[in-house]
Amino acid sequence: PPPPPPPPSPPPPSPLPPSPPPPSSPPSPPPPSPSPSPSTPPTDADQCCMWKWAGETASSSGVFTLERPIHPARAFPPGHPTLTIAQNSPLSAGSLIPTDDTTVFSRFWTNEQLSIGAWGYPGDFQTRTTSGAAAFYAYNYPYMLSANPFGDFNDNGQWNMVSLFTIRDSSLQLYAFWINDMPWDDSAGTIDVRVRGTGALTNPSFTDESLLLLENDAFGKDDYQFYRGNGLFRWKWLACCTTGMVMGPLPNEEEGFSINWQMLCKQAGGDANRPNSGLVQGIRIYQWANPTGAVANMRLVHYDIPLPYACDATYDAAVWAISQTIVLDGAVTCDGFGTAERAEFAELVAAWTNVDITSANVAVWVDCDTALVTVHIRISQPASVFLSDITTIADRLRSYTVSNNNLNVALSQVGNAFVNPPGYEPSGCDATVDRRRLDVISEIPFPSAPYGGVTLDCKVCADHCAQWNNCGECAADSQCGWAEGATPSAGNCVSVYGPDAYDISYAGTSRCCSACSRHSYEHSCLGEPGCGWAPLDGARGICVSGVPDFPCQDGLINVIWEPPTHDSITHREIHKTWVKYNSVLPVGLGNECFDFHDLSFDVVKRFEPITSYPEGHPKNTIAVNQALWDGGWYDTSIGIPHEDTWCTNGDGPDGLNGWRASCVEKLYGAEAYYAYGFPDAWSTNSGAARHESVVVMQVVDTLGEGFLLLLVDKAHDGSGGSLDLCITMKGVSTVSFSAVFQRWITFTEGQEAIYKQNVLDWANSKVSATSEQISSVKIVRGRNSEYPGLFYITARIACFSAVQADSIYDELAQLNRASASFAFGIFQTDPTTGSPIAGILSLEMPTTDPVIFFDDTYSDRLRNNYKYTESTDADYILRGQIDAHWEWDACCSDGLIIGPTPATAWSVNIAVKAYTNLDFFKIGMYNAEKEGVGYYTLPITYATASYGGVLIEGGTLTEYCQTVYAAPLFPGVVDPSNVLTSFTQNQCNACMDDAVCVFAPLNGGCVSIFSYQESYGCPRQRLSPEIALFSRTGEEAYGVHSNSTRVVRAAIPGFLTTTCPCNMEYRLLLVVYNFHTYQQVYLKQDLQPRLDHTYTFIDVPCLEPGRTYVFYLYNCFHQRDVGPFDDCSQPAILIDTVPFKPPMPPPFEPPSPLPPMPPPFTPPPSSPPTPPGAPPKPPSPPSPPGPPPFPPPKPPSPPPPKPPPSPPPLPPPPPPPPPVSPLPTMPSTMRWARRMATILPRTCAPCTCYGGR
């Protein structure tokens, strides 16, 4: 980290930089040099603004992918240097920034004071009055020749980057602050920044003299130019200091305006040999949260914009009047291009224009580093004729530079100033001109950088605020307020400025919207636009309004802003279940049924639901309802439908005509999954039952509703048994009512659908005040022995929450058969009297019994039954208890189904009271790796009431993460003094390994992955990652020379990979530039490094052999809200010239049709000599030579295969035969070379690259 700021009196930190040289002429006082304030400042603002950046199409359309409303500073933050000056005693932290330049004082030193003697602060400084905006810049103190605006919020994170933010003074005048680098960060820099304005800023009255309130220009070494919307700002600074400017007051006119900033990539990229140089980190936008509220709640929020998004390779726009830029595609040398050549070139350009311009008005800049030649023309005519002169000159330059090509001729007349590097064809100056452009002032409204740089876009406040259509987003914009309409969700977003402003202040909870605060549950809260759920605040969480970084309420622990969905595919991402049990016998529990929901358990496990019919299930094989799937077969990607068909009497599978078959009924999909009665009678056929075991599992259907299935024993396992269970429930939220219809009610399929919709509409009308909709309604046809032959219909209402179910229960209890008939549309009109006749003959009292299926007895000698009792606790949460008893034979199994479970918190405890012939309690869950059902297997004693039973809980992701990865489950040594050591690494790693959780040390520990974390408490890394480059080898690389691929081998320092959660949030950012032009050719972002490997590899396409590129590799933190990068490290920088051919793997030579054998296996030119001691060769007939020391090479494979010739007969063995050793095994390298003989002739099609990406 950089050294701390020096105190006012002692000298600043060492090492001491050299003293700045005094100016050659009598010095003038350094800035701040505020321009005269308007005599009558505006009393309100009519311009509201947005920050915009990261627009891949911005160069042509101005469309940016990231936009945020500005949050300007309105008051001085705590610790601001202005507050330490005695004359400013009326001001304090939280005081508004004054408009005038007569009431605020700032410290001031002359150039002589700053440049004499040792580097330090002379004690005889002056205090001078200045404007509030200039005082906010805080030039020269506590860091000399630097900006010091952040006070206690200085996070020391601005090294090698630009700080960009806005302020509004007490008269609501708007200013933009641009600050280069931070003081004493051990790096100097030089930067060119192109600034382009549109709208009101193109007015001739806005020049660099009138627009710049302050120029941070030590000793007059910098250059500022701005006119009619086009500007170029050039700064140089030492490691001690910063440079920058304050632009303002900005226009407050109805026309609107925008300002776009872009840095020159070549300069911003710094020194390739020093990662801590230039502005290599890009731009950081600062937002001031709660700027006029309580000082204790003031915060500084930042958005990081890395180098590739903030800079442009070249400058093509006009700077002062007209500028012609030529980009040379190659290296440039300045030898031979001196003052005389520049003057000659300037005279040629002046002659081309046919306008009264002398060579003194034409400047020619040659930048050898960036291969740029810029022709710059200044015009001194009066403003009345300025535009016409520009048009004339523009037409002339277009004609000559494009049509007649005289500009290229002029280049050749100057001499050999431009030299092509080796390997470039064709040669010559004309061939090197890659791009020629002419920009006239305000002709092109948007920049030409790849991503558009950074733009401050301002428009009339009424139009700006109208873009927000909900209270949350509107109130989160400090420039707007929500005027509520007839309902909490209705209203308009209006400006907080102007005579008709909506009066609302950002303090406390006054900006919280009633549209959000009325919600009591996460799912309904997040379903309301502009609302977020704070799960760890309040008794059970609270619903707040706003956006990430700017909630309406201060001091919140954690907020979720992403809205949920309700389908099976994403169900596990928004709602989770988990299971608890004890492995050690608790003290004081008996074997009686008890409310175990608040008991402590020592084991907590995930409980993943089943979401599709598995392979082999009857609904996936013999009992497919083809009518439901349009005559096709079941696909597991469909999931388990909310309603499916099954024949419940065991007479066989579904018929091809679907549920209309005689024995087939429409049931819940969970009941079809249970598959009662076929092919095994009186048993489940789900395939999940286990021998002498109780199995509990969860099924989630396509509507996102969950069901608990309890399976007792397995059919045909050779033994029967018995089981007594006590099942207690909390928060299971299903309400049912049954009715007998009059005999004249036919209740066809169409009438059933109408009745179902009427019940749903009626239920939703009773809960509309909370806007939490009923989950579903299921109609069940049954029989009533008291009314044979009449329709006995049960409607099961699956409620959103237990509180909602309690309300629906009370509403149903007040109905009678007449009012229910009219409420649900079951009536007819008397033809004689015209009076309605109730269609419901008998209406039963509602019940909250959640059992939708109970496997009853098939023999009178067996007893299968259950008893349900219900109650409501003090919090209006439904509670219920099921006392169940089963007896079964070896042929069969038993079980039940409970559900649907709600979207809010619920729990079910299953306690075994008595059993026979059962050994295990199994918890069945979906196993993604096996793509099937897996089990946690417990001794059945762990599930008995004396152990507390098995508790299954369901809830939101935050509740799941907080429970499954609670600190007591991961004991270890912690150090509370450091946020990153206040928890065990085992806890953090387990949490981060779960795809739906994230560990947030500053925001509650293990929480939902959808929650927003502004920071993880991880320090920004100054240490650069490691980078190395390679070329791909192998058959896929040969012949692809024009689009050769380089491979980046990236590594982050080893100790960084072991600290959770920081290591899990690392993301690599790689950008590749053309070394000569700094044109971006490749960008790879948001790449998570492989922490379980030493290296991460990145393929870089489209690099051309012979060209030189520079690679920048950053290690950043993942950011969920405004781009994938935050707090990037210093980059690893590498300059590389791509080889023309990828190197061959050693020890081979470059490829050839038949590569020679590598040493030591190269055949000798003649037969090998006789080994010493070997017997002499016999005379004629000659015998074959002895075994060679290497296998003979195989000939190259012929193109078409031919029948092999008959092998020649072996020669007779020599007398006496020498000992022959077996042929040695062919070395792997030799086999590889033989294989290459068939590979090398092949060629690959060239890659197709789009825009270098």
Side-chain angles (χ1 to χ4, degrees):
S9 300
S14 58
L16 298 176
S19 300
S24 56
S25 58
S28 58
S33 53
S35 58
S37 300
S39 56
T40 310
T43 56
D44 60 74
D46 196 35
Q47 292 293 314
C48 296
C49 308
M50 298 280 289
W51 291 116
K52 299 182 178 183
W53 70 97
E56 192 157 356
T57 61
S59 59
S60 60
S61 67
V63 176
F64 294 83
T65 58
L66 291 174
E67 300 181 358
R68 294 293 183 275
I70 66 169
H71 287 263
R74 295 289 312 282
F76 289 104
H80 194 279
T82 299
L83 306 179
T84 64
I85 300 175
Q87 292 95 319
N88 293 331
S89 57
L91 299 176
S92 61
S95 296
L96 293 179
I97 302 169
T99 299
D100 63 86
D101 56 3
T102 60
T103 58
V104 184
F105 290 82
S106 66
R107 292 178 176 86
F108 185 86
W109 291 267
T110 65
N111 278 352
E112 293 93 331
Q113 290 175 305
L114 296 177
S115 59
I116 60 175
W119 186 268
Y121 291 93
D124 57 343
F125 63 86
Q126 307 172 42
T127 55
R128 291 187 177 183
T129 58
T130 186
S131 68
F136 196 92
Y137 192 89
Y139 186 68
N140 266 337
Y141 188 83
Y143 286 110
M144 185 173 291
L145 300 178
S146 302
N148 301 269
F150 297 112
D152 292 346
F153 293 117
N154 192 354
D155 60 3
N156 290 326
Q158 310 99 316
W159 37 271
N160 302 128
M161 72 190 320
V162 172
S163 299
L164 182 60
F165 61 91
T166 58
I167 71 165
R168 282 195 190 273
D169 61 21
S170 56
S171 296
L172 301 179
Q173 296 182 118
L174 184 65
Y175 299 82
F177 284 56
W178 176 284
I179 302 172
N180 297 310
D181 212 351
M182 67 176 292
W184 296 106
D185 69 340
D186 193 32
S187 69
T190 300
I191 192 63
D192 281 9
V193 178
R194 181 178 65 183
V195 180
R196 175 167 289 167
T198 65
L201 286 179
T202 60
N203 190 297
S205 61
F206 286 103
T207 66
D208 50 284
E209 296 180 356
S210 62
L211 182 61
L212 297 185
L213 171 75
L214 183 149
E215 302 170 2
N216 186 168
D217 176 15
F219 306 104
K221 301 296 184 182
D222 301 330
D223 185 26
Y224 302 82
Q225 296 179 11
F226 187 89
Y227 188 76
R228 294 184 64 94
N230 286 277
L232 179 66
F233 298 83
R234 291 179 167 175
W235 287 286
K236 296 181 180 180
W237 65 95
L238 300 176
C240 63
C241 313
T242 70
T243 55
M245 61 181 174
V246 178
M247 302 181 72
L250 296 174
N252 190 33
E253 303 172 10
E254 193 170 326
E255 181 181 3
F257 68 92
S258 70
I259 308 175
N260 177 266
W261 293 270
Q262 291 177 31
M263 303 183 294
L264 184 64
C265 291
K266 177 71 174 182
Q267 294 174 335
D271 184 352
N273 298 313
R274 293 193 62 200
N276 179 29
S277 63
L279 297 174
V280 73
Q281 300 292 335
I283 297 175
R284 174 169 287 185
I285 295 177
Y286 283 100
Q287 300 270 63
W288 299 82
N290 201 11
T292 59
V295 173
N297 294 327
M298 294 178 71
R299 295 180 296 114
L300 196 60
V301 176
H302 70 258
Y303 308 141
D304 282 356
I305 307 172
L307 179 66
Y309 289 90
C311 71
D312 186 13
T314 58
Y315 291 156
D316 303 318
V319 174
W320 179 264
I322 299 177
S323 180
Q324 171 69 38
T325 302
I326 304 172
V327 183
L328 299 171
D329 192 8
V332 180
T333 174
C334 290
D335 296 340
F337 197 75
T339 304
E341 287 78 12
R342 294 173 189 265
E344 179 185 356
F345 189 27
E347 290 177 0
L348 288 173
V349 175
W352 295 340
T353 61
N354 289 341
V355 180
D356 187 17
I357 296 177
T358 65
S359 60
N361 299 106
V362 179
V364 180
W365 301 333
V366 180
D367 190 334
C368 301
D369 291 333
T370 57
L372 295 179
V373 175
T374 302
V375 181
H376 182 76
I377 302 175
R378 293 176 179 267
I379 299 179
S380 58
Q381 274 85 352
S384 59
V385 297
F386 188 73
L387 285 177
S388 62
D389 289 340
I390 287 180
T391 303
T392 302
I393 296 172
D395 291 340
R396 293 286 184 176
L397 284 178
R398 283 195 184 94
S399 172
Y400 282 105
T401 59
V402 178
S403 301
N404 298 337
N405 210 27
N406 285 348
L407 194 55
N408 293 338
V409 176
L411 285 173
S412 63
Q413 294 174 357
V414 173
N416 295 324
F418 305 95
V419 180
N420 288 302
Y424 277 83
E425 295 294 336
S427 61
C429 293
D430 291 359
T432 65
V433 178
D434 180 64
R435 179 171 57 172
R436 313 178 206 91
R437 293 186 181 176
L438 173 72
D439 289 347
V440 180
I441 289 177
S442 73
E443 183 182 67
I444 300 179
F446 291 102
S448 57
Y451 295 95
V454 183
T455 294
L456 177 67
D457 185 34
C458 303
K459 61 178 67 173
V460 175
C461 287
D463 296 336
H464 167 87
C465 295
Q467 67 182 306
W468 312 122
N469 60 5
N470 60 81
C471 178
E473 290 179 300
C474 172
D477 186 340
S478 62
Q479 307 163 105
C480 306
W482 186 256
E484 192 169 295
T487 64
S489 298
N492 297 294
C493 190
V494 296
S495 171
V496 297
Y497 305 130
D500 300 324
Y502 187 70
D503 185 15
I504 188 169
S505 62
Y506 195 103
T509 61
S510 63
R511 292 185 74 93
C512 288
C513 304
S514 59
C516 301
S517 57
R518 65 192 176 121
H519 294 290
S520 303
Y521 297 100
E522 176 178 328
H523 292 71
S524 57
C525 170
L526 296 179
E528 185 81 40
C531 299
W533 180 253
L536 304 180
D537 292 281
R540 300 186 185 88
I542 57 175
C543 187
V544 297
S545 57
V547 295
D549 291 323
F550 298 99
C552 69
Q553 186 170 326
D554 297 310
L556 299 173
I557 300 174
N558 189 275
V559 184
I560 303 171
W561 299 101
E562 299 184 31
T565 55
H566 296 278
D567 57 74
S568 62
I569 296 176
T570 56
H571 175 85
R572 285 176 289 173
E573 298 178 1
I574 62 169
H575 190 279
K576 298 288 285 187
T577 52
W578 55 96
V579 61
K580 301 178 178 179
Y581 59 89
N582 280 316
S583 59
V584 178
L585 184 66
V587 178
L589 294 182
N591 200 33
E592 299 298 326
C593 192
F594 184 72
D595 187 352
F596 299 113
H597 295 262
D598 298 321
L599 185 69
S600 296
F601 294 87
D602 61 9
V603 179
V604 181
K605 298 286 188 181
R606 299 165 58 182
F607 190 32
E608 295 293 340
I610 313 299
T611 58
S612 64
Y613 298 126
E615 185 176 354
H617 191 281
K619 295 299 294 185
N620 200 2
T621 53
I622 59 176
V624 176
N625 182 357
Q626 293 182 334
L628 190 62
W629 315 123
D630 296 326
W633 292 90
Y634 176 76
D635 186 341
T636 55
S637 64
I638 298 171
I640 298 175
H642 179 63
E643 289 188 359
D644 206 339
T645 58
W646 189 254
C647 187
T648 58
N649 63 4
D651 287 344
D654 298 10
L656 292 181
N657 59 341
W659 74 278
R660 296 180 184 83
S662 59
C663 67
V664 173
E665 301 178 36
K666 263 190 176 179
L667 306 172
Y668 283 112
E671 294 178 87
Y673 182 92
Y674 191 96
Y676 179 71
F678 185 85
D680 289 334
W682 313 110
S683 304
T684 178
N685 290 273
S686 61
R690 289 297 179 264
H691 172 63
E692 296 184 352
S693 300
V694 178
V695 176
V696 62
M697 59 198 307
Q698 185 189 29
V699 167
V700 172
D701 61 27
T702 53
L703 197 62
E705 292 185 346
F707 301 81
L708 287 181
L709 277 64
L710 190 75
L711 314 178
V712 183
D713 208 354
K714 184 177 183 180
H716 305 292
D717 67 345
S719 64
S722 64
L723 175 65
D724 284 286
L725 287 182
C726 173
I727 304 175
T728 57
M729 293 159 291
K730 179 181 178 180
V732 177
S733 309
T734 299
V735 181
S736 305
F737 69 94
S738 301
V740 178
F741 289 175
Q742 296 277 14
R743 190 172 300 276
W744 44 267
I745 298 293
T746 57
F747 209 62
T748 63
E749 182 180 353
Q751 291 172 330
E752 177 181 326
I754 295 174
Y755 180 69
K756 176 180 178 179
Q757 186 62 46
N758 289 342
V759 173
L760 179 63
D761 293 342
W762 173 87
N764 279 325
S765 69
K766 300 304 179 183
V767 296
S768 59
T770 62
S771 75
E772 297 155 353
Q773 298 295 300
I774 297 296
S775 179
S776 70
V777 171
K778 177 72 174 70
I779 304 300
V780 180
R781 297 172 181 245
R783 297 178 179 85
N784 188 311
S785 59
E786 296 182 11
Y787 301 96
L790 300 183
F791 286 105
Y792 180 68
I793 305 299
T794 299
R796 298 179 60 85
I797 304 174
C799 296
F800 178 85
S801 65
V803 173
Q804 187 184 80
D806 184 66
S807 175
I808 293 295
Y809 181 95
D810 291 341
E811 293 288 345
L812 286 171
Q814 298 177 24
L815 296 177
N816 55 37
R817 73 181 191 90
S819 59
S821 297
F822 304 142
F824 306 137
I826 306 298
F827 63 90
Q828 71 175 6
T829 303
D830 189 327
T832 58
T833 64
S835 302
I837 302 175
I840 295 179
L841 177 62
S842 174
L843 181 67
E844 298 179 1
M845 283 295 293
T847 177
T848 59
D849 184 355
V851 177
I852 64 173
F853 173 81
F854 188 84
D855 195 341
D856 55 7
T857 183
Y858 54 87
S859 173
D860 292 340
R861 61 183 177 79
L862 302 175
R863 294 184 300 112
N864 282 18
N865 56 73
Y866 79 94
K867 178 185 177 183
Y868 175 76
T869 55
E870 62 188 31
S871 63
T872 303
D873 63 17
D875 294 324
Y876 303 99
I877 302 298
L878 286 174
R879 290 179 176 265
Q881 178 172 325
I882 299 172
D883 294 288
H885 175 80
W886 288 281
E887 296 176 3
W888 65 94
D889 291 326
C891 66
C892 308
S893 66
D894 276 320
L896 60 74
I897 303 175
I898 296 174
T901 55
T904 52
W906 58 271
S907 59
V908 173
N909 183 275
I910 304 171
V912 176
K913 294 196 297 183
Y915 60 90
T916 60
N917 292 335
L918 292 172
D919 298 324
F920 303 103
F921 191 99
K922 293 179 178 286
I923 302 165
M925 58 181 289
Y926 180 75
N927 187 313
E929 294 181 358
K930 297 181 179 179
E931 296 184 350
V933 180
Y935 300 89
Y936 295 129
T937 300
L938 323 175
I940 197 167
T941 53
Y942 285 9
T944 59
S946 58
Y947 272 76
V950 174
L951 181 65
I952 301 170
E953 294 181 316
T956 62
L957 284 188
T958 300
E959 293 168 334
Y960 162 79
C961 298
Q962 292 271 296
T963 303
V964 176
Y965 305 106
L969 300 175
F970 301 89
V973 179
V974 299
D975 179 11
S977 64
N978 187 330
V979 67
L980 294 180
T981 59
S982 60
F983 49 88
T984 65
Q985 287 292 294
N986 288 339
Q987 179 194 10
C988 181
N989 287 324
C991 172
M992 297 293 284
D993 286 341
D994 195 321
V996 299
C997 300
V998 65
F999 198 85
L1002 302 178
N1003 301 94
C1006 193
V1007 294
S1008 165
I1009 188 66
F1010 296 111
S1011 62
Y1012 174 69
Q1013 321 305 328
E1014 182 179 341
S1015 171
Y1016 290 90
C1018 303
R1020 186 179 183 187
Q1021 299 301 321
R1022 277 189 176 270
L1023 198 60
S1024 304
E1026 300 174 10
I1027 184 173
L1029 296 179
F1030 301 92
S1031 289
R1032 280 208 177 275
T1033 57
E1035 60 180 289
E1036 69 274 8
Y1038 294 105
V1040 191
H1041 301 308
S1042 60
N1043 293 291
S1044 178
T1045 298
R1046 294 295 264 169
V1047 179
V1048 173
R1049 189 187 72 185
I1052 58 178
F1055 69 91
L1056 296 180
T1057 65
T1058 59
T1059 303
C1060 180
C1062 304
N1063 57 351
M1064 300 293 188
E1065 295 302 319
Y1066 291 140
R1067 296 296 186 272
L1068 296 177
L1069 170 64
L1070 173 69
V1071 59
V1072 183
Y1073 294 103
N1074 181 298
F1075 176 71
H1076 298 294
T1077 65
Y1078 259 70
Q1079 193 78 26
Q1080 184 186 131
V1081 296
Y1082 184 72
L1083 178 67
K1084 181 71 173 180
Q1085 62 188 24
D1086 203 25
L1087 177 64
Q1088 188 167 10
R1090 304 190 306 169
L1091 299 180
D1092 53 343
H1093 293 74
T1094 305
Y1095 302 110
T1096 301
F1097 297 93
I1098 308 171
D1099 281 298
V1100 182
C1102 306
L1103 302 186
E1104 300 180 33
R1107 296 228 177 186
T1108 301
Y1109 300 90
V1110 57
F1111 292 71
Y1112 287 78
L1113 179 67
Y1114 301 81
N1115 183 27
C1116 308
F1117 288 110
H1118 182 59
Q1119 166 64 262
R1120 291 179 59 87
D1121 180 45
V1122 284
F1125 19 66
D1126 189 41
D1127 279 337
C1128 293
S1129 69
Q1130 288 185 354
I1133 307 176
L1134 186 62
I1135 299 174
D1136 173 67
T1137 300
V1138 179
F1140 278 88
K1141 296 182 180 179
M1144 294 292 295
F1148 300 105
E1149 297 294 330
S1152 61
L1154 182 59
M1157 303 307 296
F1161 305 113
T1162 304
S1166 59
S1167 301
T1170 303
K1177 292 185 179 182
S1180 179
S1183 60
F1190 53 85
K1194 296 181 180 179
S1197 303
K1202 297 180 179 180
S1206 300
L1210 294 175
V1220 179
S1221 301
L1223 290 177
T1225 304
M1226 184 183 296
S1228 60
T1229 53
M1230 180 173 292
R1231 290 196 300 269
W1232 190 89
R1234 298 285 179 82
R1235 178 171 173 266
M1236 288 304 298
T1238 62
I1239 291 176
L1240 292 179
R1242 304 178 184 176
T1243 58
C1244 300
C1247 302
T1248 301
C1249 301
Y1250 297 94
R1253 291 184 293 277

